[in-house]
Amino acid sequence: MNNTIKQVFVDSNIWLYCFLSGQDKDPKEDARKRMIANSITDVEGIVISTQVIHEVCSILKRKVGFNEEQILKLIESFERRYQIVLVDLFIVKNASERIFSINFLSYSIFKF
């Protein structure tokens, strides 16, 4: 049996659904999306990038009014609980190439 934990990258929009309510006009849909986001972030093997942390913190400061102490506590919580990946130029280029190849593949498959 393979005991390897799969790594799961969680993007900023998922984190924001965890932290912010009222993102959807329909309260039931908003609650459903929040529940899904919470279930996604409650697994082992989560990977989060420094860029995502920055985006989440920036939006929480701007939309909710988080102060520096709250932001620091959030960053420390991310640091304790998840694997943090520093985004550098190599990662950005590699991601761009992968996205292009996926988009090209999708285009090739669905082109009539």
Side-chain angles (χ1 to χ4, degrees):
M1 181 174 205
N2 189 351
N3 290 331
T4 304
I5 296 173
K6 292 182 180 180
Q7 292 185 317
V8 178
F9 180 81
V10 178
D11 201 11
S12 56
N13 58 336
I14 302 297
W15 293 110
L16 291 170
Y17 266 106
C18 289
F19 299 129
L20 300 174
S21 61
Q23 292 194 69
D24 200 291
K25 291 180 183 179
D26 178 2
K28 288 183 181 180
E29 183 65 10
D30 189 67
R32 185 185 74 80
K33 288 178 180 177
R34 193 170 206 191
M35 184 182 70
I36 291 168
N38 283 318
S39 68
I40 290 170
T41 59
D42 193 29
V43 298
E44 290 187 52
I46 288 181
V47 177
I48 185 170
S49 73
T50 53
Q51 178 182 347
V52 168
I53 293 172
H54 174 73
E55 290 171 3
V56 169
C57 291
S58 177
I59 291 169
L60 290 175
K61 284 173 72 173
R62 190 174 66 248
K63 287 195 172 189
V64 182
F66 268 36
N67 62 36
E68 288 303 315
E69 183 179 343
Q70 291 170 308
I71 293 296
L72 183 59
K73 285 182 180 180
L74 178 60
I75 293 169
E76 289 171 346
S77 174
F78 281 140
E79 187 177 31
R80 275 191 315 275
R81 298 177 69 193
Y82 310 113
Q83 179 183 345
I84 309 294
V85 176
L86 178 65
V87 177
D88 60 16
L89 196 53
F90 173 78
I91 289 174
V92 172
K93 285 180 176 179
N94 191 21
S96 177
E97 290 169 2
R98 287 176 187 242
I99 289 170
F100 177 77
S101 67
I102 290 169
N103 287 340
F104 180 75
L105 179 61
S106 297
Y107 176 76
S108 299
I109 292 171
F110 295 109
K111 184 179 175 187
F112 298 123

